[in-house]
Amino acid sequence: MVNVNPTIRTCLVFYSTQTLLTWEIPEQWKLMVLDATFRGVVSMGDVAHSLGLSHSVHVINSAIVNFESLVPITNQEIQAEDILFDGVHVRVYHPPGREQKLRRAVMFIHGGGWALGAPKLGSYDSLCRQMAADLDAVVVTVDYRMAPDVHFPVQYEECVQAAKHFLNPEVLAKYSVDPERVAVCGDSAGGNLAAAVAQRIGIDNRTSVKFKLQVLIYPVLQALDFNTASYQQNHNVPILYRRLMARFWLEYLDADPDLVHSIMMNKHTAQDQSLLSLNRSKLNWTNLLPKRVIKHYKPVFPLTGSPSILKDVPALLDSRAAPLLASDEVLRTAPRAYIMTGEHDVLRDDGMMYARRLELAGVSVTNDHYEDGFHGCVSFAFWPLHFSVGIRAVHNYIAWLDEHL
């Protein structure tokens, strides 16, 4: 447990009692300090936005970049090359002596609500270097453009472009990559993009090389139900709160931010919404989730809602934005999957529902669930936080890749 200044401890004790101490999360004081810092940055961004000084996302991302710049570079023997793949910025990591043999490869897509993150710095750089070193593999991280500068489907399309370019046999040969041993991986919003890219590559008959595996780390996969069992259980658990996730979705889809309360109440998916008739079964968590995680929670769908939301934001029903909504036919073409979920994460049920739907479509799935897991723990496995659950999670998913890729 990290040592915390007594003054800070006193000031935050009520907050911690209400949010953290209810849950069996290890290293709670460390997580509390991290969360309080992040909340402060978000509040600063909101103030700057309300004053017309800067978009809130730009303020938050600036703070993230400044922090990540302090993280020391690890595995310095791994070579890094910044390059364009079909006009999309990527960084290619490869171990020394790459031309001596064919290697495995992982395409990594970073998270951050499609709006935040520094894929070439700090924790993401450390993670990609560790994958390259531990797997003796080529790792490509996609530096896609983010909201609010661009919105859906730009992030998705740029990841598809980069993937198609990398899977070109001539490009794989350039990097000495075995075309039968390529995986796609992503965390959070990056897990969303990785799942969507895997679906797109799977159904694309013009792409001869396919991904062998997909690794989805606490992915966000739908925006039609903000009251799944995990959303209800973890709505106020750090560091991804239900309201923040709803804000990320509205920003990504270029929708009115004032809709945040309505979608949190599921008014866009009320029982009178006929546009949902083909999709309700795809996220019926009472059927798709194991009873042990449903617990006492019940679905929350108002009798009447706001029909204009789905009409004004049609991307809410687009499987490119919400991979959980893909048809069974599309899912059958998806590669073998590893899906990491955390008990104390609002997105737990997104990952578990997708795992079950893939299984029902005939896809082999490993759902690695962490009872002490929370959102973002993989990123916090590195300096200066070193969360134990994050360290275990990184080790385990890389070990799974090592065994199956």
Side-chain angles (χ1 to χ4, degrees):
M1 180 177 293
V2 68
N3 292 323
V4 180
N5 180 284
T7 302
I8 298 176
R9 186 186 294 264
T10 301
C11 292
L12 297 178
V13 67
F14 176 77
Y15 156 75
S16 69
T17 302
Q18 297 301 310
T19 60
L20 287 176
L21 299 180
T22 308
W23 311 102
E24 297 179 359
I25 302 177
E27 303 170 290
Q28 290 189 16
W29 287 108
K30 190 190 297 185
L31 181 58
M32 183 179 67
V33 172
L34 170 67
D35 182 59
T37 302
F38 184 66
R39 280 177 177 250
V41 171
V42 171
S43 296
M44 288 173 56
D46 289 341
V47 169
H49 193 100
S50 65
L51 295 175
L53 301 176
S54 176
H55 196 288
S56 59
V57 170
H58 288 152
V59 174
I60 299 168
N61 214 27
S62 177
I64 291 173
V65 169
N66 287 334
F67 174 79
E68 295 284 17
S69 299
L70 302 175
V71 178
I73 296 176
T74 58
N75 293 294
Q76 296 190 31
E77 76 280 5
I78 300 299
Q79 302 168 38
E81 173 189 15
D82 293 331
I83 194 172
L84 294 175
F85 277 6
D86 192 21
V88 178
H89 290 273
V90 303
R91 171 171 284 187
V92 182
Y93 298 88
H94 46 79
R98 57 176 170 159
E99 297 176 356
Q100 296 175 4
K101 61 179 180 180
L102 288 181
R103 285 195 165 96
R104 301 175 286 189
V106 177
M107 171 164 279
F108 181 79
I109 306 174
H110 73 90
W114 308 278
L116 305 175
K120 299 176 183 179
L121 294 172
S123 58
Y124 282 127
D125 179 65
S126 297
L127 180 61
C128 289
R129 287 177 180 274
Q130 184 168 339
M131 283 192 286
D134 292 356
L135 297 171
D136 190 28
V138 173
V139 176
V140 175
T141 185
V142 185
D143 191 7
Y144 57 88
R145 289 177 292 165
M146 298 184 291
D149 302 321
V150 297
H151 303 277
F152 175 80
V154 174
Q155 291 91 327
Y156 163 78
E157 291 292 355
E158 289 194 351
C159 290
V160 169
Q161 285 173 236
K164 287 185 174 182
H165 181 89
F166 185 53
L167 293 175
N168 184 305
E170 294 182 0
V171 176
L172 293 176
K174 173 185 175 183
Y175 291 103
S176 301
V177 170
D178 185 341
E180 300 295 325
R181 306 175 74 188
V182 185
V184 63
C185 173
D187 71 310
S188 192
N192 166 288
L193 293 167
V197 168
Q199 291 178 5
R200 174 75 167 268
I201 296 298
I203 63 174
D204 190 346
N205 295 327
R206 297 169 297 177
T207 306
S208 60
V209 179
K210 306 292 185 180
F211 289 114
K212 181 180 181 181
L213 305 172
Q214 58 179 322
V215 172
L216 312 179
I217 300 169
Y218 35 73
V220 50
L221 299 166
Q222 59 84 30
L224 295 181
D225 189 355
F226 286 91
N227 287 276
T228 62
S230 60
Y231 266 113
Q232 293 183 54
Q233 173 181 291
N234 302 310
H235 68 278
N236 202 34
V237 174
I239 65 170
L240 184 63
Y241 301 90
R242 173 165 50 191
R243 183 178 184 85
L244 183 60
M245 189 66 251
R247 288 178 60 179
F248 278 137
W249 268 112
L250 293 173
E251 187 65 55
Y252 180 42
L253 302 182
D254 198 18
D256 185 352
D258 290 338
L259 292 174
V260 64
H261 180 71
S262 293
I263 67 172
M264 285 172 57
M265 299 297 292
N266 281 354
K267 290 186 177 180
H268 59 315
T269 52
Q271 297 177 42
D272 63 344
Q273 305 301 302
S274 59
L275 289 175
L276 282 174
S277 57
L278 297 177
N279 289 306
R280 288 195 186 277
S281 63
K282 298 175 183 176
L283 64 156
N284 184 351
W285 49 270
T286 61
N287 290 336
L288 294 171
L289 296 179
K291 300 299 183 184
R292 63 179 175 80
V293 300
I294 293 177
K295 300 174 184 174
H296 61 279
Y297 297 105
K298 305 294 183 183
V300 178
F301 292 108
L303 290 175
T304 60
S306 306
S308 62
I309 296 178
L310 292 180
K311 293 178 182 178
D312 293 341
V313 195
L316 287 166
L317 298 172
D318 192 327
S319 62
R320 297 175 302 166
L324 183 59
L325 303 183
S327 67
D328 291 340
E329 181 182 8
V330 169
L331 294 184
R332 281 192 286 269
T333 70
R336 183 175 185 173
Y338 172 100
I339 301 177
M340 182 191 299
T341 52
E343 181 62 23
H344 307 290
D345 182 2
V346 292
L347 301 181
R348 180 198 67 192
D349 295 349
D350 282 29
M352 286 190 167
M353 284 191 286
Y354 195 55
R356 184 56 181 155
R357 287 208 61 216
L358 286 171
E359 288 178 339
L360 292 173
V363 178
S364 176
V365 180
T366 297
N367 181 191
D368 194 5
H369 182 67
Y370 290 81
E371 291 294 336
D372 56 347
F374 60 93
H375 198 81
C377 63
V378 165
S379 293
F380 305 135
F382 303 95
W383 185 92
L385 298 168
H386 301 294
F387 275 95
S388 59
V389 62
I391 294 171
R392 281 187 284 115
V394 170
H395 175 270
N396 290 342
Y397 97 75
I398 292 179
W400 187 88
L401 277 172
D402 192 31
E403 179 179 355
H404 297 288
L405 185 58

PDB file of all heavy atoms in Angstrom, residues 4 13 16 89 105 121 126 155 163 176 193 211 253 269 291 308 323 363 370 380:
ATOM      1  N   VAL A   4       0.445   7.699   2.100  1.00  0.00           N
ATOM      2  CA  VAL A   4      -0.285   8.900   1.710  1.00  0.00           C
ATOM      3  C   VAL A   4      -0.140   9.953   2.791  1.00  0.00           C
ATOM      4  O   VAL A   4      -0.241   9.652   3.995  1.00  0.00           O
ATOM      5  CB  VAL A   4      -1.784   8.577   1.478  1.00  0.00           C
ATOM      6  CG1 VAL A   4      -2.532   9.834   1.060  1.00  0.00           C
ATOM      7  CG2 VAL A   4      -1.932   7.500   0.421  1.00  0.00           C
ATOM      8  N   VAL A  13     -10.982  10.882   3.059  1.00  0.00           N
ATOM      9  CA  VAL A  13     -11.476   9.685   3.708  1.00  0.00           C
ATOM     10  C   VAL A  13     -12.969   9.473   3.484  1.00  0.00           C
ATOM     11  O   VAL A  13     -13.428   8.358   3.259  1.00  0.00           O
ATOM     12  CB  VAL A  13     -11.153   9.708   5.223  1.00  0.00           C
ATOM     13  CG1 VAL A  13     -11.941  10.816   5.935  1.00  0.00           C
ATOM     14  CG2 VAL A  13     -11.441   8.340   5.852  1.00  0.00           C
ATOM     15  N   SER A  16     -13.456   8.225  -0.020  1.00  0.00           N
ATOM     16  CA  SER A  16     -13.032   6.834  -0.175  1.00  0.00           C
ATOM     17  C   SER A  16     -14.054   5.886   0.434  1.00  0.00           C
ATOM     18  O   SER A  16     -14.315   4.809  -0.097  1.00  0.00           O
ATOM     19  CB  SER A  16     -11.660   6.607   0.461  1.00  0.00           C
ATOM     20  OG  SER A  16     -11.740   6.714   1.863  1.00  0.00           O
ATOM     21  N   HIS A  89      -0.580   7.312 -39.075  1.00  0.00           N
ATOM     22  CA  HIS A  89       0.627   7.285 -38.259  1.00  0.00           C
ATOM     23  C   HIS A  89       0.669   6.021 -37.403  1.00  0.00           C
ATOM     24  O   HIS A  89      -0.297   5.694 -36.705  1.00  0.00           O
ATOM     25  CB  HIS A  89       0.690   8.519 -37.361  1.00  0.00           C
ATOM     26  CG  HIS A  89       0.954   9.791 -38.104  1.00  0.00           C
ATOM     27  ND1 HIS A  89       2.232  10.238 -38.381  1.00  0.00           N
ATOM     28  CD2 HIS A  89       0.100  10.716 -38.632  1.00  0.00           C
ATOM     29  CE1 HIS A  89       2.163  11.375 -39.047  1.00  0.00           C
ATOM     30  NE2 HIS A  89       0.879  11.695 -39.216  1.00  0.00           N
ATOM     31  N   ALA A 105       3.604 -11.197 -34.869  1.00  0.00           N
ATOM     32  CA  ALA A 105       3.328  -9.762 -34.838  1.00  0.00           C
ATOM     33  C   ALA A 105       2.026  -9.477 -34.112  1.00  0.00           C
ATOM     34  O   ALA A 105       1.086 -10.291 -34.134  1.00  0.00           O
ATOM     35  CB  ALA A 105       3.275  -9.183 -36.244  1.00  0.00           C
ATOM     36  N   LEU A 121       4.180   7.148 -25.890  1.00  0.00           N
ATOM     37  CA  LEU A 121       4.816   7.598 -24.653  1.00  0.00           C
ATOM     38  C   LEU A 121       4.390   6.715 -23.481  1.00  0.00           C
ATOM     39  O   LEU A 121       3.374   6.017 -23.535  1.00  0.00           O
ATOM     40  CB  LEU A 121       4.433   9.047 -24.334  1.00  0.00           C
ATOM     41  CG  LEU A 121       4.906  10.152 -25.263  1.00  0.00           C
ATOM     42  CD1 LEU A 121       4.253  11.475 -24.859  1.00  0.00           C
ATOM     43  CD2 LEU A 121       6.421  10.277 -25.227  1.00  0.00           C
ATOM     44  N   SER A 126       5.717   1.495 -22.976  1.00  0.00           N
ATOM     45  CA  SER A 126       6.276   0.417 -22.157  1.00  0.00           C
ATOM     46  C   SER A 126       5.595  -0.913 -22.460  1.00  0.00           C
ATOM     47  O   SER A 126       6.255  -1.963 -22.548  1.00  0.00           O
ATOM     48  CB  SER A 126       6.128   0.743 -20.668  1.00  0.00           C
ATOM     49  OG  SER A 126       6.870   1.898 -20.320  1.00  0.00           O
ATOM     50  N   GLN A 155     -11.799   7.278 -36.578  1.00  0.00           N
ATOM     51  CA  GLN A 155     -10.903   6.432 -35.781  1.00  0.00           C
ATOM     52  C   GLN A 155     -10.952   4.987 -36.264  1.00  0.00           C
ATOM     53  O   GLN A 155      -9.898   4.333 -36.423  1.00  0.00           O
ATOM     54  CB  GLN A 155     -11.282   6.502 -34.290  1.00  0.00           C
ATOM     55  CG  GLN A 155     -11.014   7.847 -33.630  1.00  0.00           C
ATOM     56  CD  GLN A 155     -12.184   8.809 -33.688  1.00  0.00           C
ATOM     57  OE1 GLN A 155     -12.959   8.805 -34.646  1.00  0.00           O
ATOM     58  NE2 GLN A 155     -12.323   9.652 -32.678  1.00  0.00           N
ATOM     59  N   ALA A 163      -4.464  -1.622 -40.540  1.00  0.00           N
ATOM     60  CA  ALA A 163      -4.467  -3.081 -40.474  1.00  0.00           C
ATOM     61  C   ALA A 163      -4.331  -3.689 -41.865  1.00  0.00           C
ATOM     62  O   ALA A 163      -3.543  -4.623 -42.077  1.00  0.00           O
ATOM     63  CB  ALA A 163      -5.759  -3.568 -39.811  1.00  0.00           C
ATOM     64  N   SER A 176       9.674  -9.080 -41.848  1.00  0.00           N
ATOM     65  CA  SER A 176       9.969 -10.481 -41.517  1.00  0.00           C
ATOM     66  C   SER A 176       8.930 -11.070 -40.570  1.00  0.00           C
ATOM     67  O   SER A 176       9.243 -11.688 -39.556  1.00  0.00           O
ATOM     68  CB  SER A 176      11.368 -10.608 -40.906  1.00  0.00           C
ATOM     69  OG  SER A 176      12.348 -10.140 -41.796  1.00  0.00           O
ATOM     70  N   LEU A 193     -12.065  -0.802 -30.973  1.00  0.00           N
ATOM     71  CA  LEU A 193     -11.545  -0.678 -32.333  1.00  0.00           C
ATOM     72  C   LEU A 193     -10.925  -1.994 -32.804  1.00  0.00           C
ATOM     73  O   LEU A 193     -11.076  -2.375 -33.971  1.00  0.00           O
ATOM     74  CB  LEU A 193     -10.531   0.454 -32.396  1.00  0.00           C
ATOM     75  CG  LEU A 193     -11.115   1.856 -32.168  1.00  0.00           C
ATOM     76  CD1 LEU A 193      -9.999   2.876 -31.930  1.00  0.00           C
ATOM     77  CD2 LEU A 193     -11.976   2.281 -33.354  1.00  0.00           C
ATOM     78  N   PHE A 211      -6.177 -11.943 -39.293  1.00  0.00           N
ATOM     79  CA  PHE A 211      -5.654 -12.018 -37.936  1.00  0.00           C
ATOM     80  C   PHE A 211      -5.889 -13.417 -37.382  1.00  0.00           C
ATOM     81  O   PHE A 211      -6.985 -13.975 -37.514  1.00  0.00           O
ATOM     82  CB  PHE A 211      -6.328 -10.997 -37.028  1.00  0.00           C
ATOM     83  CG  PHE A 211      -5.936  -9.577 -37.302  1.00  0.00           C
ATOM     84  CD1 PHE A 211      -6.858  -8.655 -37.780  1.00  0.00           C
ATOM     85  CD2 PHE A 211      -4.628  -9.153 -37.079  1.00  0.00           C
ATOM     86  CE1 PHE A 211      -6.499  -7.346 -38.026  1.00  0.00           C
ATOM     87  CE2 PHE A 211      -4.257  -7.843 -37.329  1.00  0.00           C
ATOM     88  CZ  PHE A 211      -5.191  -6.933 -37.804  1.00  0.00           C
ATOM     89  N   LEU A 253     -19.232   9.886 -31.150  1.00  0.00           N
ATOM     90  CA  LEU A 253     -20.265   9.853 -32.184  1.00  0.00           C
ATOM     91  C   LEU A 253     -20.720  11.241 -32.612  1.00  0.00           C
ATOM     92  O   LEU A 253     -21.672  11.364 -33.382  1.00  0.00           O
ATOM     93  CB  LEU A 253     -21.460   9.036 -31.682  1.00  0.00           C
ATOM     94  CG  LEU A 253     -21.146   7.588 -31.268  1.00  0.00           C
ATOM     95  CD1 LEU A 253     -22.415   6.876 -30.841  1.00  0.00           C
ATOM     96  CD2 LEU A 253     -20.452   6.835 -32.399  1.00  0.00           C
ATOM     97  N   THR A 269     -33.212   3.656 -25.381  1.00  0.00           N
ATOM     98  CA  THR A 269     -33.511   2.249 -25.618  1.00  0.00           C
ATOM     99  C   THR A 269     -34.737   1.807 -24.814  1.00  0.00           C
ATOM    100  O   THR A 269     -34.821   0.653 -24.375  1.00  0.00           O
ATOM    101  CB  THR A 269     -32.306   1.373 -25.256  1.00  0.00           C
ATOM    102  OG1 THR A 269     -31.857   1.680 -23.932  1.00  0.00           O
ATOM    103  CG2 THR A 269     -31.164   1.612 -26.221  1.00  0.00           C
ATOM    104  N   LYS A 291     -24.944 -16.198 -13.981  1.00  0.00           N
ATOM    105  CA  LYS A 291     -25.754 -15.746 -12.838  1.00  0.00           C
ATOM    106  C   LYS A 291     -24.904 -15.118 -11.739  1.00  0.00           C
ATOM    107  O   LYS A 291     -25.350 -14.207 -11.039  1.00  0.00           O
ATOM    108  CB  LYS A 291     -26.547 -16.920 -12.269  1.00  0.00           C
ATOM    109  CG  LYS A 291     -27.515 -17.567 -13.250  1.00  0.00           C
ATOM    110  CD  LYS A 291     -28.571 -16.587 -13.739  1.00  0.00           C
ATOM    111  CE  LYS A 291     -29.561 -17.282 -14.662  1.00  0.00           C
ATOM    112  NZ  LYS A 291     -30.557 -16.313 -15.237  1.00  0.00           N
ATOM    113  N   SER A 308     -36.107  10.328 -30.626  1.00  0.00           N
ATOM    114  CA  SER A 308     -35.267  11.170 -31.483  1.00  0.00           C
ATOM    115  C   SER A 308     -33.788  10.839 -31.341  1.00  0.00           C
ATOM    116  O   SER A 308     -32.992  11.114 -32.246  1.00  0.00           O
ATOM    117  CB  SER A 308     -35.498  12.651 -31.174  1.00  0.00           C
ATOM    118  OG  SER A 308     -35.135  12.940 -29.828  1.00  0.00           O
ATOM    119  N   PRO A 323     -19.290  -3.118 -31.681  1.00  0.00           N
ATOM    120  CA  PRO A 323     -19.088  -4.470 -32.213  1.00  0.00           C
ATOM    121  C   PRO A 323     -19.983  -5.546 -31.614  1.00  0.00           C
ATOM    122  O   PRO A 323     -20.199  -6.581 -32.233  1.00  0.00           O
ATOM    123  CB  PRO A 323     -17.612  -4.751 -31.903  1.00  0.00           C
ATOM    124  CG  PRO A 323     -16.982  -3.388 -31.823  1.00  0.00           C
ATOM    125  CD  PRO A 323     -18.036  -2.510 -31.219  1.00  0.00           C
ATOM    126  N   VAL A 363     -16.774 -19.405 -32.119  1.00  0.00           N
ATOM    127  CA  VAL A 363     -15.414 -18.890 -31.982  1.00  0.00           C
ATOM    128  C   VAL A 363     -14.857 -19.307 -30.629  1.00  0.00           C
ATOM    129  O   VAL A 363     -15.544 -19.204 -29.603  1.00  0.00           O
ATOM    130  CB  VAL A 363     -15.389 -17.352 -32.121  1.00  0.00           C
ATOM    131  CG1 VAL A 363     -13.974 -16.807 -31.917  1.00  0.00           C
ATOM    132  CG2 VAL A 363     -15.935 -16.935 -33.478  1.00  0.00           C
ATOM    133  N   TYR A 370     -10.779 -10.884 -13.706  1.00  0.00           N
ATOM    134  CA  TYR A 370     -10.039 -10.534 -12.497  1.00  0.00           C
ATOM    135  C   TYR A 370     -11.005 -10.006 -11.443  1.00  0.00           C
ATOM    136  O   TYR A 370     -11.611  -8.948 -11.624  1.00  0.00           O
ATOM    137  CB  TYR A 370      -8.964  -9.488 -12.818  1.00  0.00           C
ATOM    138  CG  TYR A 370      -7.842 -10.051 -13.649  1.00  0.00           C
ATOM    139  CD1 TYR A 370      -7.976 -10.182 -15.029  1.00  0.00           C
ATOM    140  CD2 TYR A 370      -6.673 -10.508 -13.053  1.00  0.00           C
ATOM    141  CE1 TYR A 370      -6.968 -10.747 -15.808  1.00  0.00           C
ATOM    142  CE2 TYR A 370      -5.654 -11.078 -13.819  1.00  0.00           C
ATOM    143  CZ  TYR A 370      -5.816 -11.190 -15.191  1.00  0.00           C
ATOM    144  OH  TYR A 370      -4.826 -11.761 -15.954  1.00  0.00           O
ATOM    145  N   PHE A 380      -1.816   0.935 -15.636  1.00  0.00           N
ATOM    146  CA  PHE A 380      -1.234   1.317 -14.357  1.00  0.00           C
ATOM    147  C   PHE A 380      -0.320   0.237 -13.791  1.00  0.00           C
ATOM    148  O   PHE A 380       0.029   0.255 -12.610  1.00  0.00           O
ATOM    149  CB  PHE A 380      -2.340   1.654 -13.359  1.00  0.00           C
ATOM    150  CG  PHE A 380      -3.285   2.712 -13.866  1.00  0.00           C
ATOM    151  CD1 PHE A 380      -4.659   2.563 -13.729  1.00  0.00           C
ATOM    152  CD2 PHE A 380      -2.786   3.837 -14.501  1.00  0.00           C
ATOM    153  CE1 PHE A 380      -5.514   3.534 -14.209  1.00  0.00           C
ATOM    154  CE2 PHE A 380      -3.651   4.806 -14.988  1.00  0.00           C
ATOM    155  CZ  PHE A 380      -5.015   4.660 -14.841  1.00  0.00           C
TER     156      PHE A 380
END
